[in-house]
């Protein structure tokens, strides 16, 4: 997991898959507590400063996705209906999500299975499946 912050401590990005990197700074306590709580099953909603960097359309989709409760899923088509969009465009916005886990695009699935994830790599699909199982969802 890789997190980046701005000078004010706002979370700019959180990536769940990829190569481990050296972290030059300690994880802020507020994020350590929230991530520990989420992975321990105690925290259902994140509440700490984040910065959404994306197009107005992406931000609109991310706001919809952010409303999906812990342990529930919606399809790309569901999000498209809520945002007056198209499922493929929703998928594109989900792939561009810089705040994985915080904006829980892992809770957005296809109507016929788990759906896509950034870069479509198998590791990312494993992470998405793990997160859904962690939240009690079986796909």
């Amino acid at each position: 997991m890789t997190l980046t912050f701005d000078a004010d401590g706002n979370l700019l990005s959180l990536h769940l898959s990829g190569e481990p990197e050296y972290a030059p700074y300690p994880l802020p306590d507020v994020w350590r507590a929230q991530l520990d709580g989420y992975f321990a099953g105690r925290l259902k909603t994140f509440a700490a400063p984040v910065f959404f960097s994306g197009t107005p359309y992406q931000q609109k989709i991310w706001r919809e996705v952010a409303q999906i409760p812990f342990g529930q899923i919606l399809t790309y088509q569901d999000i498209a209906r809520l945002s007056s969009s198209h499922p493929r465009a929703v998928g594109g916005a989900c792939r561009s999500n810089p705040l994985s886990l915080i904006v829980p695009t892992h809770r957005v699935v296809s109507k016929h299975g788990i759906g896509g994830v950034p870069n479509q790599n198998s590791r990312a699909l494993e992470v998405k499946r793990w997160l859904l199982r962690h939240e009690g969802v079986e796909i």
Side-chain angles (χ1 to χ4, degrees):
M1 184 179 327
T2 304
L3 292 85
T4 57
F5 299 89
D6 67 13
D8 296 324
N10 295 306
L11 182 65
L12 299 174
S13 68
L14 187 155
H15 298 284
L16 295 171
S17 60
E19 296 301 315
E21 297 180 26
Y22 169 73
Y25 304 102
L27 184 61
D29 290 340
V30 65
W31 282 105
R32 179 179 312 282
Q34 288 193 67
L35 290 168
D36 287 349
Y38 173 81
F39 288 112
R42 295 184 311 269
L43 183 79
K44 308 294 187 211
T45 305
F46 291 93
V50 297
F51 178 76
F52 289 101
S53 176
T55 67
Y57 175 78
Q58 289 170 331
Q59 291 183 32
K60 174 181 166 181
I61 298 302
W62 299 336
R63 281 191 298 275
E64 290 290 345
V65 170
Q67 300 303 310
I68 304 171
F70 182 97
Q72 295 183 28
I73 56 173
L74 290 178
T75 65
Y76 295 101
Q77 188 170 20
D78 293 332
I79 298 295
R81 276 192 215 114
L82 291 169
S83 61
S84 301
S85 186
H86 188 276
R88 286 184 190 258
V90 170
C94 288
R95 279 188 298 280
S96 299
N97 174 19
L99 293 166
S100 298
L101 195 62
I102 310 306
V103 175
T105 49
H106 63 278
R107 297 177 190 155
V108 183
V109 300
S110 123
K111 63 182 176 180
H112 300 294
I114 194 162
V117 292
N119 303 322
Q120 299 297 315
N121 69 52
S122 62
R123 177 79 175 122
L125 285 172
E126 289 173 29
V127 170
K128 184 172 183 172
R129 280 188 187 95
W130 187 93
L131 289 170
L132 290 172
R133 279 193 310 272
H134 173 69
E135 295 185 10
V137 176
E138 289 295 329
I139 294 281

